[in-house]
Amino acid sequence: MSLVAAAVCPHPPLLVPEVAAGAADELDDLRVACRAAVAHLTNASVDSLIVVGSDTTTVRRDPPFGGALSPWGIDLPVGDPSGEQLPLSLLIGAWLAPHAGNFQSVAADAPPAECARLGRALAGEAESVGLLVLGDGSSCRTEKAPGFFDARAEPFDAAVAAALAGADAAALAAIDPGEADELLVAGRAPWQVLAGAADRKMAGELLYEAAPYGVGYFVATWQ
């Protein structure tokens, strides 16, 4: 039982073209990269595909999975809207991977050790496990970013990008929660779940790294 494949994507609502509307073309490259990352998971033929994203609490979600994007300006259903509304991270995961059958939220403030334990538990759920991990980088890359400009943001994101490109689980596990919180990083806890799930040396590929709208977005695959 082990993690055999993983994909990392961001979760901005603007990833959905209907939400982005007239600005949809601006994130076309990001959408292409996300589709390629999800295809990587599909091609891996995993026994269990688990979507992991941050929320206020750590909870395994029960089906039906889905909700609507109405809080972000458009009444667009995602997955099965009859179920409990998924948090944004998992809702974008459901949009990217409608075939996924498992959704796991992790508390945004979960300590690294707790994230690692969750990752190990997820990796042990089936003979071959795939993870779709949703998380944004720093929201402080420019003066117009949601968190304004912080000089630490770009080097922080560069270190995350390098860790994802190299499938460096130890580097992800070493991310400081305090610094990540100060830089408004939404992906810290989910990335550390991924780090805990990686019980062997893996190969990584970074498909996308940029900061549109002043927020760091990464797309990567591990295998």
Side-chain angles (χ1 to χ4, degrees):
M1 293 184 178
S2 66
L3 178 70
V4 299
V8 175
C9 295
H11 57 71
L14 291 177
L15 196 59
V16 181
E18 291 88 344
V19 175
D25 292 349
E26 296 176 10
L27 294 182
D28 275 350
D29 290 348
L30 175 58
R31 295 187 190 96
V32 169
C34 288
R35 286 195 291 270
V38 172
H40 165 79
L41 290 175
T42 302
N43 294 336
S45 300
V46 297
D47 297 324
S48 177
L49 173 57
I50 305 171
V51 181
V52 180
S54 65
D55 193 20
T56 55
T57 57
T58 299
V59 177
R60 187 58 169 263
R61 304 284 169 160
D62 295 322
F65 306 115
L69 287 163
S70 48
W72 296 276
I74 184 167
D75 190 20
L76 178 72
V78 176
D80 187 342
S82 68
E84 179 184 358
Q85 174 82 19
L86 292 173
L88 176 61
S89 60
L90 296 183
L91 193 65
I92 295 301
W95 179 77
L96 286 170
H99 56 291
N102 299 283
F103 287 76
Q104 173 74 54
S105 63
V106 56
D109 61 354
E114 181 181 323
C115 295
R117 285 193 297 271
L118 177 59
R120 289 192 294 271
L122 295 180
E125 287 191 359
E127 191 66 29
S128 58
V129 172
L131 295 183
L132 173 57
V133 180
L134 284 303
D136 299 350
S138 174
S139 296
C140 303
R141 292 285 293 271
T142 67
E143 292 184 357
K144 294 184 178 181
F148 197 63
F149 174 75
D150 190 310
R152 298 172 297 169
E154 186 170 353
F156 179 96
D157 282 350
V160 172
L164 292 174
D168 190 341
L172 290 182
I175 293 174
D176 176 54
E179 183 181 22
D181 189 53
E182 291 171 3
L183 294 175
L184 305 182
V185 176
R188 191 274 305 172
W191 298 333
Q192 291 185 324
V193 171
L194 169 60
D199 57 357
R200 61 182 177 85
K201 179 59 180 175
M202 304 183 78
E205 182 179 3
L206 188 67
L207 305 181
Y208 180 95
E209 191 272 322
Y213 315 120
V215 181
Y217 296 151
F218 317 100
V219 180
T221 59
W222 288 17
Q223 63 182 1

